[in-house]
Amino acid sequence: MKFRAFHGVLPHESIIGGDFEVNIVIDADLTKACKSDDVRDTISYADVYDMVKTEMEIPSKLLEHVSA
């Protein structure tokens, strides 16, 4: 996922912002979805995107803080 966000320690980083790429790993048992082929039995990637987007919209000085 790619976002424009305003993270960083330097003053200009909170004004200009930067481009960030977020990669996540989701550990989940998807056995039911594999068998059913039903979207209700899997993870909503739209919901995952929205959660990450919400976090990225909160300015932080450290990327470690963003990812926690």
Side-chain angles (χ1 to χ4, degrees), residues 1 3 21-27 43-45 47-52 67:
M1 296 171 264
F3 299 96
E21 184 173 314
V22 177
N23 296 297
I24 62 170
V25 175
I26 299 172
D27 185 17
I43 296 167
S44 167
Y45 298 109
D47 289 346
V48 171
Y49 178 88
D50 288 342
M51 286 187 278
V52 174
S67 66

Side-chain angles (χ1 to χ4, degrees), residues 2-24:
K2 294 183 180 181
F3 299 96
R4 183 85 178 161
F6 300 89
H7 307 303
V9 175
L10 301 176
H12 72 275
E13 292 173 308
S14 64
I15 297 168
I16 298 170
D19 296 321
F20 296 86
E21 184 173 314
V22 177
N23 296 297
I24 62 170

Side-chain angles (χ1 to χ4, degrees), residues 6 9 13 25 28 31 41-42 55-57 63:
F6 300 89
V9 175
E13 292 173 308
V25 175
T31 305
D41 294 333
T42 193
E55 288 301 316
M56 290 299 289
E57 290 174 343
L63 292 179

